[in-house]
Amino acid sequence: MSITFYFAPMSTASTVRWSLEELQIPYEGVQVDIKDDADKKTKLGPVNPNMAVPVLVHDGVAIFESAAIQIYLGETFGVDKGLYPKPGPARGEALKWLVWANVTLGGAMSRWLGNTQGPQEQRNAAAGAQARKDLDRLIGMVEENLGDRTYMLGDTVSLVDFHLVSFFQWFGFCGVDFAPFPQLGALIGRCSGRPANQKLMAAET
Ligand SMILES: N[C@@H](CCC(=O)N[C@@H](CS)C(=O)NCC(=O)O)C(=O)O
């Protein structure tokens, strides 16, 4: 088996890098300088027409989109290792949160960042304020799901927690305050303390 993983530190690839570490999957890492067009063209050109990280190439097949990679890793390696649910309703819950993180939560984050920290001429204050409200509502959904659960899917940690917490670590770096969300704050603390995340943070920050 061969796995090559294209990544950049402090990017969407960090979610996948964390999962690879947790799953203890050996891989060859290819670091891409996403600010350098030539480096992107050379390294990503052959594997991702979107010219973005992360990309996971498994036995010659290139997979892009972080949520797709998490799902693939979960199905292929995660069930046996107890980090991803078997097919069934719990699998449905995992899929729901993984896709939601990228599409809905990530979409609101992009709108907020674009309208508040993007190029001046592209900012719209009202759209930025709306995106910030949306973010709080969406983060509130995670808080509500956690309720008295320890992890997103219940008592057992899973790739869903790594994916979501990775997003929230990024949000934290961008100035989002999690004080109003104590259950989520506890989840972030629990997952950030894991050796795999500590190793990732030491490598990327
Ligand atoms: N929806 C994609 C987003 C991929 C993406 O935008 N990656 C960024 C880094 S966070 C990138 O490589 N950008 C390349 C660029 O800035 O040109 C995913 O989740 O994989």
Side-chain angles (χ1 to χ4, degrees), residues 11-12 34 40 51-54 65-66 102:
S11 76
T12 323
I34 56 174
K40 279 197 297 191
M51 294 294 189
V53 292
E65 286 295 331
S66 58
N102 283 49

Side-chain angles (χ1 to χ4, degrees), residues 15-144:
T15 72
V16 175
R17 198 174 177 192
W18 183 358
S19 293
L20 286 167
E21 192 65 38
E22 294 275 359
L23 291 164
Q24 300 183 329
I25 298 172
Y27 65 90
E28 181 198 344
V30 177
Q31 184 164 338
V32 182
D33 181 351
I34 56 174
K35 303 254 183 286
D36 178 344
D37 284 344
D39 200 46
K40 279 197 297 191
K41 194 170 169 203
T42 309
K43 293 173 181 166
L44 295 175
V47 290
N48 186 2
N50 297 298
M51 294 294 189
V53 292
V55 185
L56 186 100
V57 181
H58 186 191
D59 290 342
V61 176
I63 304 157
F64 50 73
E65 286 295 331
S66 58
I69 300 170
Q70 295 281 25
I71 291 165
Y72 181 74
L73 289 175
E75 291 179 357
T76 311
F77 306 104
V79 178
D80 284 352
K81 299 201 171 173
L83 288 172
Y84 199 71
K86 295 188 294 235
R91 169 74 62 88
E93 262 206 297
L95 291 170
K96 167 180 89 177
W97 288 115
L98 290 170
V99 173
W100 174 87
N102 283 49
V103 177
T104 308
L105 183 66
M109 186 61 174
S110 297
R111 278 191 286 119
W112 180 57
L113 289 177
N115 284 299
T116 56
Q117 298 169 37
Q120 196 73 48
E121 69 283 2
Q122 291 173 19
R123 293 185 197 177
N124 175 315
Q130 182 59 51
R132 189 65 192 79
K133 267 196 213 151
D134 292 344
L135 271 181
D136 271 347
R137 179 178 55 80
L138 296 170
I139 297 170
M141 284 173 59
V142 175
E143 180 75 8
E144 195 179 324

